[in-house]
Amino acid sequence: NHKSNEIARPSTTRTAADILSSHLEFKRPIVSFCQSIDSLLGGGFAVSEVTELVGLPGVGKTQLCIQLCVDVALPKQFGGVCGEALYIDTEGSFVPERALDMADALVNHVTKSSQSSSNRSAGKPGRIIPEWFNEENILDGIHVFRVHDEASLVATIQSLPGFIRSRENRSDDITGVKLVVVDSIAFHYRSIGPNTNYKARTQSLMKIAAFLSDLATTFDLAVVVVNQMTTKIDNSGRGAISDGTKNEWDSSSGSRVTPALGESWAHATTTRLLLSEGNAENSDVRHCTLVKSPHKPVGTASYIVTEMGIRDTNFECHSSSNDEINDHAAQIEAQQPLLQQPPHQQEEFRADADASKYSVDSKRPRYQ
């Protein structure tokens, strides 16, 4: 029997007009610094939603999460949200050195973009970089929670509203926490013991999913959760499963690789991205497939993981002159849906939509 206080919580109501108005309100997404991924998502990782990253080990799930934690600090005048990030690390996979590499690349890029913007404006001052925008402050804005079991994970997630409120209005420039990452949601829930209560585990997982969704909408932030892949034994239906993910079928063993945590979890997130490796001819290239989204069509983007972070496949790590650096804010804003942008900004974004071209650097190091 359920206690009365557990079921006596009525839901609030909103009119369809109110919901439509909030959806049409422009909310700047968080960019990944990979234009193909951002374009696939309509400009970047959306706020007020839960986005799931799923894939086999080594495809760059954690690298993408760290990249987002760094990019969330990008100043608004350069196309960012100017916020902080919370990183819940269940596997011990957060690497601060990688965050520093990406932060250094971000600061250098913004600095050169500002100078390039000034030069192209015939002597007019470019966008002013805030004094606080440096590598140290970017890392200070990434708050890492290391959790070692399911109980700690649940307790940490439930404590997030208080922590997020404590970070609000701390500065005129920083907007507070705009990104929550859980890497990974599956790690503690996939451990199987002799006395595992599968029903209780599923209920706990669904409560976390509902809590994270409510957190995203209440605080107007992006939630990114990492999921793992598992092998499913099934001798029927050798095609796409109900979540839309196409899986490689092994006819000899009657098995296929599919996202973990089951179909109930697949319906709990707003957007699902499947990360996968490329072919043997170009192993450095990985693919990001949008397999589930309520407002974007399915599609695939390609990316690479470089020393500087997540980048497009035609990106080259090299030192460029100011004239060769494209204004990153223009790239970001041009990727975002024009219908969701304020009318006075739409024409400006179209005019700045050009992007510089780069060649592939075959000597770049490989990161996982």
Side-chain angles (χ1 to χ4, degrees):
N1 296 330
H2 295 282
K3 296 181 180 179
S4 59
N5 61 349
E6 293 179 345
I7 61 176
R9 183 183 175 184
S11 177
T12 58
T13 180
R14 297 177 62 191
T15 67
D18 288 339
I19 299 175
L20 177 62
S21 177
S22 64
H23 285 184
L24 292 178
E25 180 184 356
F26 174 67
K27 297 179 180 179
R28 191 185 298 275
I30 301 172
V31 297
S32 67
F33 250 78
C34 176
Q35 188 172 1
S36 60
I37 293 179
D38 292 338
S39 298
L40 182 69
L41 297 174
F45 286 73
V47 299
S48 302
E49 294 183 4
V50 178
T51 301
E52 177 191 17
L53 302 179
V54 60
L56 293 170
V59 295
K61 300 187 297 296
T62 296
Q63 297 292 318
L64 180 53
C65 288
I66 297 176
Q67 180 73 69
L68 293 173
C69 288
V70 170
D71 293 347
V72 75
L74 187 67
K76 292 182 178 180
Q77 57 267 43
F78 291 91
V81 298
C82 197
E84 297 183 336
L86 303 181
Y87 197 104
I88 301 178
D89 185 4
T90 66
E91 303 182 18
S93 55
F94 181 83
V95 182
E97 291 81 5
R98 289 294 293 140
L100 179 60
D101 291 340
M102 297 177 188
D104 182 66
L106 176 62
V107 171
N108 288 337
H109 182 85
V110 168
T111 301
K112 293 178 180 179
S113 294
S114 177
Q115 296 170 350
S116 178
S117 176
S118 177
N119 293 338
R120 290 198 305 266
S121 301
K124 296 180 181 180
R127 292 183 175 93
I128 299 176
I129 302 175
E131 294 183 358
W132 60 265
F133 188 70
N134 55 53
E135 294 86 345
E136 181 178 356
N137 287 332
I138 291 176
L139 295 188
D140 282 340
I142 304 175
H143 309 277
V144 182
F145 297 83
R146 180 71 171 97
V147 297
H148 298 275
D149 52 42
E150 178 187 341
S152 297
L153 175 62
V154 173
T156 300
I157 291 178
Q158 291 178 345
S159 70
L160 292 184
F163 185 87
I164 293 173
R165 291 189 182 96
S166 71
R167 303 299 301 180
E168 293 178 342
N169 303 320
R170 296 177 64 90
S171 170
D172 294 336
D173 296 320
I174 306 298
T175 58
V177 176
K178 300 300 292 182
L179 173 67
V180 174
V181 173
V182 184
D183 183 14
S184 70
I185 192 69
F187 185 70
H188 296 309
Y189 283 96
R190 294 189 67 190
S191 58
I192 301 176
N195 300 317
T196 299
N197 187 331
Y198 293 96
K199 182 178 180 179
R201 187 177 64 173
T202 301
Q203 291 176 344
S204 173
L205 188 61
M206 291 302 99
K207 287 181 179 179
I208 285 181
F211 192 92
L212 291 175
S213 178
D214 185 59
L215 190 76
T217 55
T218 300
F219 293 98
D220 206 21
L221 52 81
V223 175
V224 176
V225 293
V226 175
N227 193 6
Q228 301 171 347
M229 301 289 282
T230 187
T231 301
K232 183 176 182 180
I233 307 299
D234 188 2
N235 292 320
S236 62
R238 301 183 180 183
I241 58 176
S242 60
D243 63 359
T245 306
K246 298 215 179 262
N247 305 276
E248 293 190 6
W249 178 268
D250 187 346
S251 58
S252 61
S253 60
S255 63
R256 61 183 172 188
V257 178
T258 186
L261 302 180
E263 296 187 13
S264 296
W265 170 259
H267 295 290
T269 57
T270 311
T271 301
R272 167 172 280 184
L273 295 175
L274 175 65
L275 307 186
S276 58
E277 291 188 338
N279 53 41
E281 297 179 356
N282 198 349
S283 59
D284 284 346
V285 176
R286 292 98 185 269
H287 303 294
C288 174
T289 302
L290 178 62
V291 297
K292 174 195 173 186
S293 173
H295 44 69
K296 293 297 175 186
V298 297
T300 300
S302 298
Y303 66 96
I304 56 175
V305 184
T306 72
E307 182 180 0
M308 301 169 66
I310 303 295
R311 295 294 187 270
D312 285 288
T313 55
N314 59 352
F315 179 83
E316 180 183 1
C317 298
H318 63 84
S319 299
S320 301
S321 64
N322 290 340
D323 292 338
E324 293 175 322
I325 299 295
N326 190 38
D327 189 344
H328 187 62
Q331 293 184 30
I332 296 167
E333 292 166 344
Q335 296 165 17
Q336 297 169 355
L338 293 175
L339 292 178
Q340 295 184 8
Q341 296 169 357
H344 69 277
Q345 294 182 0
Q346 293 181 15
E347 293 302 325
E348 175 186 354
F349 292 171
R350 290 192 186 100
D352 292 337
D354 60 318
S356 56
K357 302 296 183 181
Y358 300 92
S359 59
V360 176
D361 180 9
S362 60
K363 298 181 179 179
R364 61 179 178 267
R366 178 179 175 87
Y367 292 89
Q368 295 183 350

